[in-house]
Amino acid sequence: MKQHNTSAADALKSDTKSTLATAPTEFLPKHPMSPEAAYRLVKDETYPQTQPRLNLATFVTTYMDEYATKLMNEAVNVNYIDETEYPRVAVMCGRCINIIANLWNTPEKAEWKAGAVGIGSSEACMLGGVAALLRWKARRKAEGKPCDKPNLVMSAAFQVVWEKFCQLWSVELRQVPLSLEKPSLDPKEALAMCDENTICIVPIAGVTWTGLNDDIEALDRELDAYNKKTGYEIPIHVDAASGGFILPFLQPEKRWDFRLKWVWSISTSGHKYGLVYPGLGWVVWKDKKYLPQEMSFSVNYLGANITQVGLNFSRPAAQILGQYYNFLRLGFEGYKQIQQASMDVARYCHEQIGKMSCFCNYNKTLENPLFIWYMNPEYEKTAKWTLFDLQALLQQNGWMVPAYTMPKNIDHLVVMRVVVRQDMTKDMADMLLADICNAVEGLQNLKYPTTSRLACEKQQHQKGKVFTH
Ligand SMILES: *Cc1c(COP(=O)(O)O)cnc(C)c1O
C-alpha cells in the first residue's frame, strides 16, 4: 500500500516537472510521463492561431457534420491498404472513383473506372503527371526517338506541386506567363511552347492564385488542330483541385472534362470542395488505356477486379469513408446547394469589395467561390498603406485573409484573396466586410506611411515606378 502511494506521488512529481520543463526537441525523453501530461503538452502546442472558420486563406475543409465526424473518428485506426482486414474499404474507394468519373462525364464503360485515391491533389497530380510521362516515353521508344528531355506546359499560376513533379521526375516546366489582359492560360501561347517532347498540357480549373478557370474547351480545340498538324499526341491533364467539385454542380453544361477529346486525366482534392477533412485527393483517367500498366496492380480477391495505383501504400481510410458518406448524405442536389451557397456568399463579398473605391477586383465574374482583388492603382499612388497592412489588421479581429504577390510577369501586383467554404455564412461575410471597412478607414487616416508601404515604394522605385504622398 505504502509503495503504491509513493509511486503515485512520484509520478505526480515527475509530471509537474515535465510540464514545467520545455518539450523535448532533440532527444527521446528517458522516462515516460502520464498520458494527461503528454496530452496537455501536445495539445497546448497545437492550439490554433486562428479560428478555422475565420481562416479564409485555406481551401481545406474545416467542417463536417456530426455523423461524418463520428464515422471518421471511429475509423481512425483503419489502414486503407489492408484489404484482407477491411476489404469493403477498397470497394467503397472504387465506388467513389466511379462516382467522380461519372461526375466528370467519363466515356468508360468498365465496371470499375480507372482512377486512384491520394493524400491530396498533390499526390493525384503527381500520378497524372507520371502517367503522362510514361505514355510519352513508351511512344517515343516505339518510334526509336530519344526520351531524355520531357517537358510540361502550363500557366505560370501553377500550384507548387507541379514544380515538385517537374523537379522530382526531371521534367522541364514551361510556364505560359499571365498578364492583366490575359489573366488565365492562353491556348495559343501554350501551344507555341509545345514540341515533340511535351508530355502534356496542364490547364487548371480553379487557379489557386486567382480562382479563375483556364479555358479548357478552347485549349482542347486548338490542341486538336495542333496535334493533327504535327502528328504529336499531346494530351491534357486537368488540375481541378477546386473546380472538380464545383463545375459538375454549378456549370454542368460547361465542357471542361472527359467530354473533351484530349482530356485524358483529371485530378481533384476531396478535402477542398469535396467537403471532406484532410487528406484526400482523386485522379481519374478517361480510360484504362491511358493508365500505364507499370503504375497499376490488380487485385481480384474482392469478387471484382480492382485496379490500384498510388505513391503511398499505407494510408488512412477515414477520408474515403467521409467522401462516400458525403456522396450518400448529400447526393447531387445536396452538393449543388452547398456549392451554390458558397458561391452566393463569395459573389456577395466580391460585389461589396468591388464597390470600395480603394480596391479593384481582379476579375468581373466568379467561376469558383474565391476571388482576389488589388489596390486601385490611382488610389495606390498616394496611399500610405498596403494590403499587407490590411491583412495584419484583419488578423487582429481573428480573420486570416492573405495578401500576396502574383506570379512571374505580374509579380508587381499585390493581391488579397478570400476563399469561401461551406461554413462561411452571409452574416460572417457582413462581419468581414465591416471589419475591412473599419480597417481601411483607420489606414486612410494615417499621417505617415507604414513600413510595408515604405518597403514597397523602395522596391517600386528600383523598378522605375514613382509614388507620391
Ligand atoms: C490545392 C491545390 C493543389 C494541391 O492540392 P492538395 O490537395 O493541397 O495537395 C494542386 N493544384 C491546385 C490548383 C490547387 O489549388
Side-chain angles (χ1 to χ4, degrees):
M1 193 67 192
K2 189 161 181 272
Q3 204 180 1
H4 178 82
N5 278 344
T6 317
S7 71
D10 279 355
L12 197 65
K13 231 192 292 169
S14 82
D15 264 349
T16 316
K17 225 169 40 199
S18 48
T19 46
L20 284 177
T22 53
T25 55
E26 277 193 83
F27 299 103
L28 187 66
K30 190 163 179 0
H31 299 291
M33 66 171 81
S34 75
E36 292 83 358
Y39 175 85
R40 183 143 27 102
L41 277 176
V42 176
K43 187 75 182 179
D44 287 355
E45 218 164 322
T46 50
Y47 191 77
Q49 302 293 302
T50 41
Q51 278 285 331
R53 292 183 69 183
L54 302 188
N55 182 356
L56 308 182
T58 184
F59 290 75
V60 175
T61 302
T62 47
Y63 165 83
M64 289 182 81
D65 71 30
E66 219 176 288
Y67 280 98
T69 307
K70 176 174 146 69
L71 198 60
M72 289 180 69
N73 282 339
E74 285 164 1
V76 73
N77 60 349
V78 177
N79 180 9
Y80 157 73
I81 207 72
D82 196 344
E83 293 191 354
T84 28
E85 198 171 338
Y86 312 104
R88 298 309 297 175
V89 175
V91 176
M92 204 178 281
C93 182
R95 289 182 192 159
C96 286
I97 291 169
N98 281 355
I99 289 170
I100 293 166
N102 283 317
L103 276 176
W104 297 340
N105 296 292
T106 181
E108 186 168 352
K109 293 283 174 281
E111 186 185 359
W112 298 105
K113 317 299 178 209
V117 63
I119 286 296
S121 270
S122 300
E123 189 184 356
C125 291
M126 291 268 180
L127 292 168
V130 170
L133 178 62
L134 293 178
R135 286 192 311 255
W136 170 83
K137 270 193 180 154
R139 190 172 138 90
R140 297 282 290 175
K141 277 205 184 111
E143 292 170 348
K145 290 180 179 157
C147 27
D148 56 336
K149 286 198 169 63
N151 69 66
L152 177 150
V153 174
M154 70 188 302
S155 103
F158 56 83
Q159 209 269 356
V160 67
V161 63
W162 292 105
E163 204 172 356
K164 291 186 193 170
F165 168 75
C166 287
Q167 298 231 21
L168 299 182
W169 269 273
S170 301
V171 174
E172 183 198 344
L173 178 56
R174 295 191 177 165
Q175 308 174 30
V176 184
L178 296 181
S179 64
L180 282 180
E181 296 71 40
K182 282 184 193 161
S184 59
L185 181 77
D186 181 88
K188 287 205 168 63
E189 281 185 49
L191 291 174
M193 287 187 178
C194 291
D195 57 29
E196 59 181 349
N197 292 316
T198 303
I199 63 167
C200 66
I201 305 178
V202 182
I204 307 165
V207 177
T208 327
W209 300 71
T210 63
L212 292 175
N213 293 335
D214 288 334
D215 189 345
I216 304 166
E217 191 171 15
L219 175 68
D220 184 71
R221 200 178 328 114
E222 306 262 347
L223 179 62
D224 192 41
Y226 177 91
N227 279 341
K228 277 205 183 93
K229 190 180 74 190
T230 56
Y232 304 156
E233 271 190 26
I234 301 176
I236 293 171
H237 172 91
V238 183
D239 178 353
S242 307
F245 275 105
I246 296 292
L247 286 165
F249 301 106
L250 299 188
Q251 295 189 63
E253 71 299 332
K254 191 182 169 89
R255 289 158 53 85
W256 66 279
D257 53 17
F258 292 126
R259 284 168 286 186
L260 300 177
K261 181 172 174 188
W262 292 100
V263 172
W264 289 4
S265 52
I266 304 175
S267 52
T268 195
S269 294
H271 56 216
K272 290 186 179 174
Y273 291 101
L275 310 177
V276 180
Y277 292 135
L280 185 68
W282 301 102
V283 56
V284 177
W285 286 271
K286 188 178 215 159
D287 186 283
K288 289 205 171 30
K289 70 177 178 226
Y290 301 118
L291 173 58
Q293 274 298 313
E294 311 95 284
M295 285 176 68
S296 62
F297 63 94
S298 285
V299 290
N300 59 7
Y301 47 80
L302 300 169
N305 214 44
I306 291 185
T307 304
Q308 287 203 319
V309 178
L311 296 181
N312 290 298
F313 189 63
S314 298
R315 61 147 289 149
Q319 293 82 357
I320 298 165
L321 272 57
Q323 184 77 80
Y324 194 59
Y325 168 85
N326 273 353
F327 288 159
L328 295 181
R329 161 84 181 90
L330 298 172
F332 187 91
E333 287 304 322
Y335 263 98
K336 187 175 163 180
Q337 272 172 26
I338 289 173
Q339 316 302 38
Q340 188 62 55
S342 300
M343 202 68 185
D344 290 347
V345 172
R347 287 215 170 97
Y348 172 68
C349 292
H350 183 248
E351 198 183 291
Q352 296 302 314
I353 283 170
K355 282 185 191 159
M356 296 180 70
S357 58
C358 54
F359 298 138
C360 288
N361 279 325
Y362 184 78
N363 43 299
K364 283 205 182 67
T365 55
L366 260 60
E367 295 188 273
N368 293 290
L370 64 132
F371 64 95
I372 58 172
W373 71 93
Y374 53 93
M375 208 182 255
N376 181 331
E378 271 311 304
Y379 180 91
E380 192 182 21
K381 282 183 191 159
T382 56
K384 295 189 174 59
W385 53 282
T386 70
L387 291 176
F388 294 107
D389 297 310
L390 180 57
Q391 174 185 327
L393 284 176
L394 291 175
Q395 214 159 355
Q396 289 175 13
N397 295 324
W399 299 103
M400 182 60 221
V401 185
Y404 53 91
T405 50
M406 290 293 279
K408 214 164 83 175
N409 204 45
I410 40 173
D411 51 359
H412 61 281
L413 199 61
V414 175
V415 299
M416 201 161 216
R417 185 182 73 186
V418 161
V419 177
V420 175
R421 301 188 310 277
Q422 68 165 324
D423 46 0
M424 170 105 173
T425 60
K426 169 97 179 345
D427 286 341
M428 286 169 68
D430 281 326
M431 276 160 52
L432 172 71
L433 291 164
D435 285 343
I436 291 179
C437 286
N438 279 339
V440 167
E441 215 173 281
L443 291 164
Q444 252 157 353
N445 293 330
L446 286 178
K447 288 217 167 52
Y448 303 102
T450 63
T451 26
S452 146
R453 168 73 188 193
L454 289 172
C456 159
E457 279 175 25
K458 199 168 148 194
Q459 228 176 34
Q460 300 291 355
H461 187 69
Q462 283 160 357
K463 288 183 191 160
K465 198 168 154 185
V466 188
F467 284 122
T468 50
H469 286 297

